[in-house]
């Protein structure tokens, strides 16, 4: 049973014109090939919620690979496909991707008196999905373009702001849905339905999350950690007693919540300050999550998530070194810029962001900020090739000289090429033939 409603007006109002055209092109091609095409899932959900989402998922009743191939050929774009799953990806020139899945018509022979009926395989496809709000489909074929197809009450649940699974075995089939339910609930400001809450509690009690592979568990936690504000879903995971899946010792208390608030502040500071520099936000929050644990518990949790040996070593190193700096190095004395640069240079931006959020007082925060804004961009004007031209025999001494020059520059002791040369003349006269002039390689 499907309630039908046309949402062409919403499509026109919400989507850029070229996306509407692409959807229409999909419908027209499907018709030409004797197939039916639908936009499904998160794209339709977000359209009805008036949230921007241009990640289109298509289901065609028919051969999705043939559909995608033909579309790619006719529009001169790229296409990749998985024969095994009957799925394809269209890759548009602006790198937008559209996933295409196949749902084949299935014919059901009813008792003799009845004709053979075509049972919509779209419904079967949608029945496999996680929540009712993700089961809406949008017809694209000409003549029915924009018709909303709602087999499972998705519209009602969108209106009631409710996350609901489709059937009682849903979480047994796929326990990652526990985390997906929490993520969608918090992202949209919805509530998980009463029955679904009971199913989640039950699934957690039965240890279904323990059975999940580390990679899948990590992936879902990553998705939560890259939400705009990860604290509410992370807190909700605590309410559902999910954290013991990583470690019995994760203590989700006010102190940890405060840290997450500060992490988010520093993450947005980083985004606003360094617009196009990538930051793996999930790694920042993961560092936060494990930061109250003993080393052995961190090790266990990382093992559970199947972190690579490299990642595990890195996280242990980061905790050790960040603590060393925050409780040893920074409080000990006032440091010159060069010392701060040397101390912070080994860290990745994610670790520095974590350090900034962990810092109790202003000194380390200011130091990290200066590092990001200034120190890391400082370089010497003289390079190895200049030393060579100046007749210094190549060897490890180059590193020593250039490091020293860089320190001098960071500390404002030299500020241009001439001063760098003068500095070398004074400090390394022996390398340039006693007291003689250091030749300027450019002159
Ligand atoms: P997001 O905005 O986070 O990308 P989305 O709903 O688009 O949300 P995807 O993870 O891209 O989520 O999945 C696309 C669609 O595939 C979903 O709308 C959902 O219907 C379905 N889906 C994804 N993961 C599952 C799952 N574990 N079980 C069932 N259906 C799933």
């Amino acid at each position: 049973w499907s309630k039908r409603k046309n949402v062409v007006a919403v499509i026109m109002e919400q989507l850029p014109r070229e996306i509407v055209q692409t959807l229409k092109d999909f419908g027209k091609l499907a018709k030409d090939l004797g197939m039916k095409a639908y936009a499904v899932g998160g794209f339709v959900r977000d359209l009805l919620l008036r949230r921007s989402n241009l990640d289109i998922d298509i289901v065609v009743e028919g051969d999705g690979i043939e559909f995608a191939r033909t579309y790619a050929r006719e529009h001169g774009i790229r296409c990749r496909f998985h024969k095994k799953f009957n799925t394809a990806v269209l890759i548009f020139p602006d790198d937008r991707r559209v996933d295409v899945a196949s749902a084949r018509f299935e014919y059901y022979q009813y008792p003799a008196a009845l004709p053979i009926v075509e049972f919509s395989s779209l419904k079967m496809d949608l029945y496999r999905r996680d929540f009712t709000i993700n089961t809406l489909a949008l017809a694209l074929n000409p003549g029915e373009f924009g018709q909303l197809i709602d087999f499972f009450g998705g519209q009602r649940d969108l209106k009631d702001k409710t996350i609901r699974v489709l059937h009682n075995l849903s979480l047994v089939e796929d326990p990652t849905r526990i985390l997906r339910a929490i993520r969608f609930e918090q992202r949209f400001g919805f509530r998980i339905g009463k029955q679904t809450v009971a199913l989640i509690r039950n699934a957690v009690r039965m240890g279904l999350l323990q059975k999940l592979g580390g990679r899948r568990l990590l992936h879902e936690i990553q998705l939560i950690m890259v939400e705009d504000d990860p604290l509410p879903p992370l807190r909700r995971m605590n309410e559902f007693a999910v954290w013991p899946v990583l470690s019995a010792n994760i203590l989700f208390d006010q102190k940890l919540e405060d840290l997450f608030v500060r992490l988010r502040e520093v993450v947005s500071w980083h985004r606003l300050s360094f617009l196009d520099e990538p930051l793996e936000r999930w790694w920042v929050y993961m560092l936060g999550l494990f930061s109250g644990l003993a080393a052995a518990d961190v090790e266990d949790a990382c093992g559970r998530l199947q972190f690579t040996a490299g990642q595990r070593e890195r996280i242990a190193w980061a905790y050790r070194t960040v603590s060393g700096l925050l409780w040893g190095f920074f409080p000990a004395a006032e440091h010159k810029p060069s010392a701060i640069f040397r101390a912070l240079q080994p860290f990745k931006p994610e670790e520095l962001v974590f350090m900034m959020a962990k810092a109790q007082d202003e000194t380390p925060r200011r130091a990290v900020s200066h590092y990001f804004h200034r120190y890391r961009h400082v370089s010497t004007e003289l390079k190895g090739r200049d030393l060579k031209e100046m007749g210094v025999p190549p060897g490890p001494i180059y590193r020593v000289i250039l490091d020293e020059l860089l320190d001098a520059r960071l500390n404002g002791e030299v500020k241009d090429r001439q001063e760098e040369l003068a500095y070398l003349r004074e400090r390394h006269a022996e390398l340039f033939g006693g007291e003689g002039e250091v030749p300027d390689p450019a002159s």
Side-chain angles (χ1 to χ4, degrees):
W1 190 262
S2 139
K3 282 188 208 135
R4 287 175 187 255
K5 171 174 156 192
N6 197 296
V7 292
V8 143
V10 187
I11 294 178
M12 293 308 193
E13 179 193 301
Q14 287 297 307
L15 299 174
R17 202 182 303 172
E18 66 275 12
I19 299 286
V20 178
Q21 191 54 49
T22 305
L23 293 174
K24 288 189 167 165
D25 291 344
F26 286 149
K28 182 160 180 319
L29 175 64
K31 177 166 183 276
D32 293 346
L33 295 173
M35 305 179 185
K36 283 202 172 207
Y38 303 89
V40 296
F43 173 75
V44 185
R45 174 198 70 213
D46 288 344
L47 178 72
L48 298 187
L49 288 174
R50 305 328 196 242
R51 288 173 68 100
S52 152
N53 177 355
L54 301 181
D55 271 342
I56 306 176
D57 281 311
I58 299 289
V59 169
V60 299
E61 285 182 324
D63 182 348
I65 292 185
E66 185 194 350
F67 173 87
R69 262 198 186 135
T70 315
Y71 185 92
R73 196 175 54 241
E74 287 183 358
H75 290 80
I77 65 166
R78 292 198 296 140
C79 164
R80 278 202 237 119
F81 49 87
H82 295 280
K83 271 244 154 62
K84 193 168 148 210
F85 301 110
N86 253 313
T87 58
V89 191
L90 290 166
I91 304 157
F92 287 75
D94 58 0
D95 215 35
R96 230 172 3 96
R97 277 142 210 265
V98 171
D99 286 318
V100 179
S102 320
R104 289 173 184 281
F105 273 114
E106 292 160 38
Y107 293 88
Y108 288 83
Q109 177 85 64
Y110 273 71
L114 292 168
I116 293 171
V117 295
E118 276 174 358
F119 186 72
S120 157
S121 55
L122 176 67
K123 184 169 177 178
M124 299 299 259
D125 184 280
L126 296 172
Y127 188 64
R128 285 197 291 268
R129 288 170 190 258
D130 43 8
F131 311 112
T132 57
I133 59 164
N134 287 337
T135 61
L136 293 163
L138 201 60
L140 300 181
N141 281 43
E144 52 186 298
F145 184 83
Q147 250 183 38
L148 197 62
I149 299 165
D150 180 6
F151 292 111
F152 306 106
Q155 288 178 90
R156 178 202 57 209
D157 287 341
L158 275 183
K159 205 160 130 268
D160 297 349
K161 300 176 178 288
T162 307
I163 308 291
R164 219 189 288 281
V165 291
L166 273 74
H167 57 84
N168 288 352
L169 289 179
S170 182
L171 305 178
V172 178
E173 249 169 52
D174 181 356
T176 62
R177 291 173 187 163
I178 296 168
L179 301 183
R180 294 178 61 85
I182 291 172
R183 177 158 61 93
F184 289 128
E185 177 192 55
Q186 298 300 317
R187 182 198 292 174
F188 300 135
F190 282 19
R191 285 315 274 176
I192 299 176
K194 218 168 133 205
Q195 174 75 1
T196 302
V197 165
L199 292 170
I200 292 180
R201 294 210 181 280
N202 203 33
V204 172
R205 212 172 311 124
M206 282 164 51
L208 293 186
L209 283 168
Q210 262 77 5
K211 298 203 173 75
L212 267 181
R215 296 260 133 215
R216 296 191 64 206
L217 186 59
L218 173 62
H219 181 65
E220 290 302 328
I221 295 176
Q222 283 173 326
L223 289 176
I224 285 175
M225 288 181 165
V226 298
E227 284 288 307
D228 172 48
D229 186 0
L231 177 56
L234 295 176
R235 183 193 289 134
R236 190 80 162 125
M237 285 165 78
N238 192 53
E239 284 167 22
F240 279 115
V242 164
W243 289 121
V245 74
L246 293 186
S247 165
N249 294 327
I250 291 179
L251 186 58
F252 207 93
D253 56 1
Q254 192 56 46
K255 193 165 154 245
L256 187 55
E257 292 212 7
D258 292 345
L259 176 61
F260 281 128
V261 170
R262 283 199 306 279
L263 286 170
R264 181 160 179 250
E265 284 164 5
V266 184
V267 164
S268 24
W269 165 81
H270 182 275
R271 192 185 51 236
L272 294 172
S273 311
F274 314 107
L275 286 180
D276 38 43
E277 283 183 32
L279 188 75
E280 296 268 25
R281 274 177 295 152
W282 72 270
W283 187 245
V284 174
Y285 289 107
M286 201 66 90
L287 284 169
L289 180 67
F290 294 163
S291 63
L293 293 178
D297 291 328
V298 175
E299 193 50 39
D300 286 350
C302 292
R304 179 66 185 88
L305 294 173
Q306 289 180 339
F307 281 177
T308 61
Q311 284 173 316
R312 288 186 217 192
E313 273 164 35
R314 185 76 198 185
I315 207 166
W317 173 86
Y319 286 140
R320 242 189 355 261
T321 325
V322 166
S323 300
L325 290 183
L326 289 181
W327 320 123
F329 175 81
F330 283 115
E334 236 191 81
H335 296 285
K336 286 185 175 177
S338 61
I340 293 171
F341 175 82
R342 300 289 166 199
L344 299 186
Q345 198 189 17
F347 291 98
K348 298 190 170 122
E350 291 79 8
E351 294 155 348
L352 291 172
V353 163
F354 168 72
M355 191 189 309
M356 233 171 159
K358 259 314 228 192
Q360 303 286 335
D361 54 53
E362 198 47 36
T363 312
R365 276 201 289 272
R366 198 171 334 111
V368 176
S369 170
H370 284 171
Y371 175 80
F372 266 116
H373 278 291
R374 305 191 213 142
Y375 307 156
R376 65 184 174 142
H377 303 300
V378 172
S379 61
T380 55
E381 276 182 51
L382 294 174
K383 310 284 176 204
R385 85 183 94 80
D386 299 306
L387 298 182
K388 196 163 172 204
E389 277 179 40
M390 290 153 73
V392 183
I397 188 71
Y398 275 39
R399 192 67 281 138
V400 175
I401 293 178
L402 292 174
D403 277 352
E404 217 180 282
L405 262 188
L406 182 61
D407 284 356
R409 249 200 121 119
L410 280 160
N411 296 336
E413 292 157 19
V414 297
K415 56 181 185 306
D416 56 27
R417 187 185 178 85
Q418 280 318 312
E419 293 188 8
E420 286 183 14
L421 284 167
Y423 182 91
L424 284 189
R425 194 178 304 142
E426 195 173 311
R427 295 270 306 142
H428 291 282
E430 77 284 1
L431 282 174
F432 304 99
E435 297 299 306
E437 279 286 287
V438 172
D440 183 342
S443 60

